[in-house]
Amino acid sequence: MTTPEIDTPETGITPGGTSGAFRDVLSKDHARRGKPPLHFVDMTPAQRIEKAAELGLPRFRVKQLANHYFGHFDVNAAEFTDFPAAKRDEAAAAFFPHLITEVTRQVADEGTTIKTLWKLFDGSLIESVLMRYPTRTTLCISSQVGCGMGCPFCATGKLGLTRNMSTGEIVEQVRVAAKMMRDGEVAGGEGRLSNIVFMGMGEPMGNYNSVLSAVRQISAMPPEGFGISARNITVSTVGVVPGIKKLTAEGIPVRLAVSLHAPSDELRDELVPMNKRFNTTQVLDAAHDYWLASKRRVSIEYALMRGINDQAEHAQLLAKRLNHYGDNWAHVNPIPLNPIEGSKWTASKPEDEKQFLEILHRAGITATLRDTRGQDIDGACGQLAAKER
C-alpha cells in the first residue's frame, strides 16, 4: 500500500480524516474558529523584517526583539529599555499578541509538578505540565486542541480534535515555563528548563509543520531560539507513519517516541484506532528506520492497563517484536495508566507491572517503568480541559 504524504491542511485533518480505514474523531467545535493572531515565532525572518519596516523600524530592531523573547523570555515591550519608547506598544501588538491565558493551575509532588490549563484566543483549552526532577526539568506540551486519534483510554481522545495549534501557541508554553524556572517559581529555587516532550494534548504528526517549526526554534541558540538541545526534545506519535518518515528525513536529533500500547494488531486495533491505517509492522519498521538514520534509541510508550495489555504473554510478544530487528534500538517505557474518572480502563496491579518489566529485561530489552507524576491531581492529559467544558 502506498501511504500518502502527510501535510497540514487548514482544517487540521490528518491523512485518513477524509479517506482510508481511519478517520479522525472530530469535536463538535472542529474548524469553526478563526486563525490565531500571527506571532513573532510564526513569522519567517523575512516576514519579521517586513513587519518591522511597516512600523518604521530598521531590521536590527528585529534582532533586539528576538533577544528579548528567546534570550530573556520577555514579551513586556513596555520595559524594553533598548527599544524606542514611542514604538514599544506598536511592536508588542505586532509581534507579541497574547496567545495563551492561564485558567487554572494544579500543583503536586510538593510543588515540583505544575499542571496548567490554558485558554487560547478562541476559547479553546489546552494543557501543559512542568515536572522538576533532581537532574532535569521537563515540560510536557500540547500541539493540538483535543485529539482526533480516538484512543478510548485517553482523556484527550475523548475530546475529539478541534483544531491544530499555531507555532506561536506551542512555543509560548515553553517560554512561560522557561521563565518560571529562571525566576524560581517552581519548588527547588531558580533553575533551567532542560527537556521538552510533545506528549500533551494532540497528535504531533497531525500538526507536523507547526511542530517542526516549534522544534527548530526551541532548539536553536539565542537569539534564534531557546537553546534547549534537540537531543532533549521528544516528539511522540501513535504511529502516523508518513510523519515518522518525514521526521527521519529532517536529520534533527530529537528523540522519537511511539505510543504502541499493544504488541499485536488485534489488540492495538482496539486500543489505538490509527492501527487500522498503519499497523504494528509498518509503525515498528518506520521507528526502526528512525533509529538507523539517527542512532537515537526510540522510546516505545506502553500504557499498562489492568487485564488488557499487561499480562506475561503481552510482554513476551512485545519483546519478540522488538528483538526481531536484531539490535538494541528501543527503550520501552511501561506507563502506569492515569485512570479517567468513570472509565473501565484502569491501572495495572503492581505485581503485573513488575512481571512485565522482568520479562522485558530477561529478553534483553531496555525498559524503565515511567515515573507517574500528578496522581493526586488531574494527571492524565485532557482531564482538566474535559472538566472545564
Side-chain angles (χ1 to χ4, degrees):
M1 182 181 82
T2 301
T3 54
E5 282 297 308
I6 191 168
D7 65 359
T8 313
E10 291 300 324
T11 57
I13 301 177
T14 53
T18 54
S19 63
F22 175 84
R23 291 173 184 264
D24 284 310
V25 178
L26 305 181
S27 81
K28 60 179 174 29
D29 295 329
H30 176 71
R32 70 175 176 80
R33 328 253 175 138
K35 289 184 178 181
L38 197 68
H39 190 276
F40 187 83
V41 301
D42 296 311
M43 303 177 191
T44 65
Q47 286 173 325
R48 293 171 185 172
I49 292 169
E50 183 180 343
K51 177 65 71 175
E54 290 174 10
L55 301 180
L57 295 169
R59 59 194 301 160
F60 79 87
R61 295 295 183 190
V62 172
K63 188 169 184 178
Q64 286 181 315
L65 293 173
N67 191 54
H68 280 288
Y69 187 83
F70 290 115
H72 301 286
F73 318 127
D74 193 3
V75 293
N76 186 7
E79 297 179 359
F80 292 177
T81 55
D82 60 351
F83 212 80
K87 294 290 186 179
R88 291 174 192 172
D89 288 345
E90 278 187 277
F95 291 104
F96 302 132
H98 194 68
L99 296 182
I100 64 175
T101 302
E102 182 176 322
V103 176
T104 188
R105 181 185 295 192
Q106 294 185 342
V107 180
D109 304 311
E110 299 180 337
T112 59
T113 298
I114 299 174
K115 182 168 189 174
T116 307
L117 180 70
W118 303 102
K119 181 174 285 187
L120 308 184
F121 84 101
D122 57 356
S124 296
L125 299 173
I126 57 108
E127 300 171 15
S128 62
V129 186
L130 184 61
M131 297 162 284
R132 187 172 197 159
Y133 299 92
T135 59
R136 70 186 188 282
T137 300
T138 298
L139 178 69
C140 179
I141 60 176
S142 296
S143 56
Q144 292 181 317
V145 178
C147 183
M149 298 298 102
C151 301
F153 58 89
C154 174
T156 307
K158 288 183 172 295
L159 299 176
L161 176 64
T162 296
R163 67 170 174 85
N164 279 338
M165 292 172 61
S166 68
T167 300
E169 291 171 326
I170 295 170
V171 173
E172 270 290 272
Q173 297 170 79
V174 180
R175 181 191 67 82
V176 173
K179 188 174 186 296
M180 288 172 62
M181 285 299 298
R182 183 199 65 190
D183 294 347
E185 295 180 26
V186 182
E190 296 177 7
R192 180 178 178 273
L193 179 62
S194 60
N195 293 68
I196 304 295
V197 294
F198 284 83
M199 293 183 177
M201 296 173 68
E203 163 57 53
M205 298 302 184
N207 188 15
Y208 187 91
N209 291 345
S210 292
V211 166
L212 255 289
S213 177
V215 165
R216 291 184 188 281
Q217 294 183 78
I218 292 166
S219 59
M221 293 302 295
E224 279 77 42
F226 294 123
I228 297 173
S229 171
R231 299 183 70 82
N232 290 345
I233 299 174
T234 299
V235 177
S236 69
T237 178
V238 297
V240 182
V241 169
I244 296 174
K245 290 180 177 180
K246 284 187 75 172
L247 187 63
T248 303
E250 300 284 354
I252 305 172
V254 298
R255 185 175 297 282
L256 173 69
V258 175
S259 297
L260 195 67
H261 304 316
S264 68
D265 285 324
E266 182 181 13
L267 180 56
R268 196 167 190 263
D269 280 351
E270 178 186 356
L271 299 180
V272 183
M274 179 57 83
N275 198 67
K276 296 170 185 173
R277 185 162 180 81
F278 304 111
N279 64 30
T280 54
T281 298
Q282 291 171 294
V283 171
L284 291 174
D285 281 353
H288 185 255
D289 286 345
Y290 187 85
W291 147 257
L292 291 176
S294 67
K295 294 306 176 189
R296 299 226 60 200
R297 193 181 285 171
V298 176
S299 292
I300 302 296
E301 308 295 306
Y302 196 103
L304 292 167
M305 298 169 230
R306 184 177 301 185
I308 295 171
N309 68 348
D310 64 348
Q311 299 303 296
E313 61 266 28
H314 301 122
Q316 289 159 359
L317 180 55
L318 177 61
K320 181 180 178 181
R321 297 294 303 274
L322 298 180
N323 281 333
H324 159 77
Y325 296 91
D327 48 19
N328 187 23
W329 69 281
H331 182 285
V332 178
N333 284 318
I335 308 165
L337 187 71
N338 254 327
I340 309 167
E341 189 176 343
S343 170
K344 72 172 184 176
W345 314 95
T346 190
S348 299
K349 298 176 183 177
E351 57 268 30
D352 288 338
E353 292 177 356
K354 184 171 182 286
Q355 175 186 247
F356 199 95
L357 269 178
E358 288 174 348
I359 290 171
L360 293 179
H361 290 159
R362 285 199 300 270
I365 302 291
T366 306
T368 309
L369 190 69
R370 173 75 65 78
D371 172 29
T372 303
R373 288 291 193 103
Q375 287 187 312
D376 52 338
I377 56 176
D378 297 306
C381 198
Q383 286 184 344
L384 264 179
K387 281 189 174 184
E388 291 288 328
R389 283 184 156 220

